[in-house]
Amino acid sequence: MRPTGIFPATRMRRMRRDEFSRRLMRESRLSTDDLIYPVFVLEGNNITQAVPSMPGVSRVSLDNLLRVAEEAVSLGVPALALFPVIEASGKTPGAEEAWNPDGLVPRVVQALKARFPELGVITDVALDPYTSHGQDGLIDPEDPRGYVLNDETLEALAKQALCHAQAGADVVAPSDMMDGRVARIRAELDGDGRIYTRILAYAAKYASSFYGPFRDAVGSAGNLGKGNKYTYQMDPANSDEAIREVALDIAEGADMFMVKPGMPYLDIVRRVKAELQVPTYVYQVSGEYAMLQAAAANGWLSHEACMMESLLAFKRAGADGILTYYALEAARVLKGQA
């Protein structure tokens, strides 16, 4: 510990006495530049479906999403992260719809980039919205364990990422946690001349119990059933393993690195940023959002204050950017429009 003065010569409260001095010594700051807004998109026109387990969040059709994007641009939010809600008819064991160039995600990407070229568009690269079994990868139908195949899944993910990049996605974000997927995707993109398509790797994605409302939102919960993702997502008990995972994704060519979930894993955010010094992102996941919303709805917490405090905590831990369902609301607060 650094040498420090002692009371009464040193009074820590002196700098806390007035707003001006509190501002002058503030170490971490949150701005709209830090926010990424995850959105759920589905087929159809003029559709808005509330997600019951995520109060304030809805699934929307493309026409309504364009209005959401317009607000994001007006508030200065840099990017949207797209998560598709795929109809049951589009779900198969092999997830072939994931790389359909005429599918939902490519069409949404094209429309967003045509209308708002300055808005960053991030696409999720994972198979769970498209698989009839709800897993993030392919499964041997003869395997009674239903073990997700790694190398076979890489080929599907590479096709999916290239499909999104060809549609105009600025960033592809593999969230599957297969070994070697960043290198395989980078090779696929570079082979097609897509050298400027960024990869946001969900590098330290834990097998968390905080994802439940998200799976409700995209419609994968029913397909997954009583299954789990313990064989590919990380054990919540591990920290050193997260550093290895991020280091591997650095070596494989990722540009940005995600820790997920957020609040229960602030120690991982801090370690990644401090030890590896790479662009570090964090996802305030659906369960975190739902807990805050429920507590605020019951009057147990101050909604706005706790929302902003939770986001500031990610910045304090070292995050460069935050995926949060509060992005638009927080941006309004930051711009004095709340």
Side-chain angles (χ1 to χ4, degrees):
M1 185 175 179
R2 298 184 186 90
T4 186
I6 58 173
F7 178 84
T10 298
R11 292 179 180 267
M12 296 297 288
R13 290 182 59 193
R14 267 198 292 262
M15 287 296 288
R16 301 175 193 152
R17 186 174 188 273
D18 297 299
E19 173 66 12
F20 84 88
S21 53
R22 290 194 297 270
R23 288 168 56 199
L24 285 170
M25 68 177 291
R26 189 160 291 149
E27 299 172 30
S28 303
R29 297 181 186 276
L30 179 72
S31 81
T32 56
D33 293 341
D34 302 315
L35 304 174
I36 298 169
Y37 190 37
V39 293
F40 300 106
V41 62
L42 42 65
E43 296 282 7
N45 292 292
N46 195 29
I47 298 174
T48 298
Q49 295 177 349
V51 180
S53 56
M54 299 176 69
V57 172
S58 297
R59 311 174 192 94
V60 296
S61 53
L62 174 56
D63 52 338
N64 288 339
L65 178 60
L66 291 173
R67 285 188 275 274
V68 172
E70 184 173 25
E71 182 178 11
V73 170
S74 71
L75 289 168
V77 173
L80 301 185
L82 302 181
F83 295 95
V85 182
I86 302 300
E87 297 173 349
S89 60
K91 297 175 185 280
T92 60
E96 290 82 4
E97 182 64 19
W99 53 90
N100 176 6
D102 299 316
L104 177 60
V105 170
R107 286 186 281 112
V108 170
V109 170
Q110 290 166 357
L112 284 170
K113 294 307 296 182
R115 181 84 170 268
F116 306 106
E118 72 276 31
L119 179 67
V121 175
I122 303 169
T123 61
D124 184 46
V125 176
L127 303 185
D128 52 326
Y130 304 91
T131 54
S132 51
H133 45 70
Q135 295 286 1
D136 292 38
L138 305 179
I139 292 175
D140 181 349
E142 304 302 319
D143 181 358
R145 290 183 58 200
Y147 187 77
V148 172
L149 301 168
N150 193 90
D151 296 12
E152 293 83 348
T153 297
L154 298 187
E155 298 309 308
L157 296 172
K159 288 187 284 188
Q160 183 184 23
L162 181 59
C163 174
H164 293 178
Q166 290 174 336
D170 301 291
V171 183
V172 293
S175 63
D176 56 285
M177 289 299 288
M178 298 297 114
D179 291 333
R181 87 273 201 212
V182 169
R184 182 66 190 87
I185 290 170
R186 184 77 272 163
E188 191 77 8
L189 295 173
D190 288 1
D192 195 59
R194 307 279 166 178
I195 61 172
Y196 297 115
T197 302
R198 280 132 286 188
I199 297 177
L200 166 58
Y202 284 62
K205 182 178 180 180
Y206 285 83
S208 172
S209 298
F210 285 90
Y211 301 147
F214 175 92
R215 291 173 184 164
D216 291 340
V218 298
S220 66
N223 298 92
L224 186 62
K226 294 183 179 179
N228 60 64
K229 303 187 178 186
Y230 299 155
T231 66
Y232 50 99
Q233 294 178 358
M234 283 184 55
D235 186 335
N238 295 353
S239 175
D240 290 345
E241 184 185 16
I243 303 305
R244 286 190 69 193
E245 286 280 11
V246 177
L248 286 166
D249 286 350
I250 293 170
E252 291 180 19
D255 305 286
M256 308 150 79
F257 305 86
M258 174 85 76
V259 175
K260 182 182 179 183
M263 193 69 74
Y265 296 86
L266 290 178
D267 60 317
I268 309 301
V269 177
R270 168 57 73 185
R271 285 197 64 185
V272 169
K273 189 62 179 178
E275 296 179 29
L276 299 174
Q277 299 176 341
V278 291
T280 304
Y281 296 77
V282 65
Y283 200 143
Q284 185 180 47
V285 301
S286 59
E288 299 173 65
Y289 172 85
M291 288 193 304
L292 287 172
Q293 289 293 87
N298 279 281
W300 300 332
L301 294 175
S302 167
H303 171 70
E304 182 178 306
C306 288
M307 170 183 71
M308 300 305 288
E309 183 179 340
S310 70
L311 298 176
L312 185 60
F314 298 128
K315 290 296 294 180
R316 189 185 68 244
D320 297 294
I322 307 160
L323 276 81
T324 175
Y325 303 99
Y326 286 124
L328 299 190
E329 189 174 358
R332 292 187 207 107
V333 172
L334 290 165
K335 290 186 172 295
Q337 298 178 17

